Amino acid sequence: MASSTVTVVVQSRGKPIKKLPKEVQLATNASTQELYDQLAEASGYSVHRLRVTKAADRAVVPNSKDSTVEGNGLSDKTVLHVKDLGPQINWRTVFIIEYLGPLLIPALVLYPFRPYVYFNFDAIPEPSDTQRLVCALLTVHFLKREYETVCVHRFSNATMPASNIVKNSGHYWILAGCNIAYWVFRPDAAAAALRISPALLYGGLALFVFGEIANFNTHLVLRDLRRPGTTERGIPSGFGFSAVTCPNYFFEVVSWVGVYLVSGLSWSVLFFIVVAAAQMALWAQKKERRYRKEFGDKYKRKRSVMIPGLI
């Protein structure tokens, strides 16, 4: 049986979109992705910078091949608002840029820029073995992050507003890059001592290695829950998932506690851990709520979302 067609009314919301058509004709069984494609082609804008909502209730019309015109309640003469979200940037590119700063800054501060960063010291000794080790740990951590960004992660959203890149990068470039590097690599830092406590050194290394491997394993599990090119997810299971909602965040904290111990208990590393853990806890709580809503009784609810027995 042939599908009927509807003609929806299209209006700009906010900043006017010059070439936006006044009406769009669609089959009732067409996907809403086709609506976005028509609007993008007519306006000359990337489909990712457009957001379509129904004027009546401001409900978002998703850009999805699995969502239909009829299923979203779009009928003849339905008024749609189209908002220009502004220039967009690919999420994968965002993460690459975010992690690039703390990947490069520690080595630059410790080696070529050392005389200029610590110019106010009368004598600037060579970096200690511990400082070199901390630099190596930071490099390994963020190289892993970059690898996961390129080869492991699958992103639900294709893009984000390009204007957000500065704000998103600040956390890593300033707190994990400049902040840690400056204070841990100072000539008078605890890590500059010839030797630190073996308990801190070997305990920290053990936590770092365990945290990095366990975190990587969790990311592989999460990747395999989503088929390439889709946003559908399964219920995660495996090492760590029976204890908390987001074991990847827990193992991330474990890894950073390892860096904190090796650094000689530097306050700058601890400060980064606290800020990062607070943000990850919010993300974990949000994910727990989403799992409960999405999977219902199939999902085993967690009391702790990130750190067993605490958060």
Side-chain angles (χ1 to χ4, degrees):
M1 182 177 176
S3 173
S4 60
T5 61
V6 296
T7 301
V8 296
V9 179
V10 180
Q11 300 173 353
S12 294
R13 183 183 177 189
K15 183 180 177 181
I17 302 174
K18 293 182 179 180
K19 296 181 181 180
L20 191 71
K22 295 182 178 180
E23 295 182 337
V24 173
Q25 191 175 66
L26 296 158
T28 54
N29 64 352
S31 71
T32 51
Q33 185 179 67
E34 294 180 41
L35 168 64
Y36 275 83
D37 289 340
Q38 286 195 42
L39 294 173
E41 183 177 0
S43 65
Y45 282 21
S46 165
V47 69
H48 298 299
R49 67 183 286 174
L50 301 177
R51 182 172 65 195
V52 180
T53 57
K54 292 189 287 185
D57 58 6
R58 295 188 178 181
V60 175
V61 179
N63 176 16
S64 172
K65 64 181 180 181
D66 299 320
S67 174
T68 65
V69 170
E70 187 176 34
N72 279 271
L74 306 186
S75 56
D76 217 34
K77 301 306 177 183
T78 294
V79 179
L80 299 178
H81 287 163
V82 181
K83 182 177 178 61
D84 174 18
L85 299 176
Q88 301 288 297
I89 185 170
N90 183 279
W91 266 105
R92 200 176 302 276
T93 303
V94 170
F95 281 110
I96 290 173
I97 294 173
E98 284 182 0
Y99 301 147
L100 187 61
L103 173 63
L104 300 178
I105 290 172
L108 291 174
V109 170
L110 188 61
Y111 296 110
F113 294 167
R114 185 172 176 82
Y116 309 104
V117 173
Y118 303 114
F119 66 91
N120 55 323
F121 284 83
D122 294 333
I124 305 176
E126 289 294 310
S128 70
D129 290 342
T130 301
Q131 289 175 322
R132 290 190 175 95
L133 178 58
V134 172
C135 184
L137 297 183
L138 295 174
T139 301
V140 167
H141 177 77
F142 286 105
L143 274 176
K144 169 182 164 291
R145 286 283 192 93
E146 294 284 28
Y147 173 79
E148 290 171 340
T149 297
V150 175
C151 302
V152 177
H153 294 321
R154 291 172 182 158
F155 298 95
S156 300
N157 299 317
T159 64
M160 65 169 277
S163 59
N164 287 355
I165 187 64
V166 175
K167 177 186 70 176
N168 284 33
S169 296
H171 171 76
Y172 289 103
W173 285 60
I174 296 175
L175 290 186
C178 298
N179 168 60
I180 291 177
Y182 177 80
W183 294 104
V184 175
F185 300 153
R186 279 172 60 98
D188 59 353
L194 293 178
R195 290 192 62 186
I196 65 169
S197 165
L200 293 180
L201 175 62
Y202 296 113
L205 285 175
L207 288 177
F208 179 82
V209 172
F210 169 76
E212 293 292 303
I213 294 175
N215 175 267
F216 181 71
N217 175 71
T218 306
H219 287 160
L220 293 178
V221 171
L222 293 172
R223 179 200 62 181
D224 292 340
L225 293 175
R226 181 184 300 157
R227 290 177 297 168
T230 72
T231 58
E232 297 178 1
R233 301 179 182 89
I235 299 176
S237 62
F239 183 62
F241 285 101
S242 61
V244 294
T245 310
C246 299
N248 50 320
Y249 296 158
F250 171 61
F251 297 136
E252 177 85 3
V253 171
V254 169
S255 178
W256 276 104
V257 169
V259 176
Y260 171 62
L261 297 181
V262 174
S263 72
L265 309 181
S266 171
W267 71 266
S268 61
V269 180
L270 180 61
F271 180 67
F272 174 74
I273 293 173
V274 171
V275 173
Q279 180 61 70
M280 288 188 289
L282 294 177
W283 290 337
Q285 290 168 353
K286 183 178 180 181
K287 187 164 291 187
E288 173 68 15
R289 290 193 295 268
R290 193 189 73 216
Y291 283 160
R292 293 182 181 186
K293 181 179 179 180
E294 185 175 353
F295 300 115
D297 294 337
K298 295 180 181 179
Y299 175 70
K300 183 179 180 181
R301 299 187 174 197
K302 307 295 192 307
R303 291 185 177 180
S304 299
V305 296
M306 189 176 81
I307 300 178
L310 292 178
I311 302 175

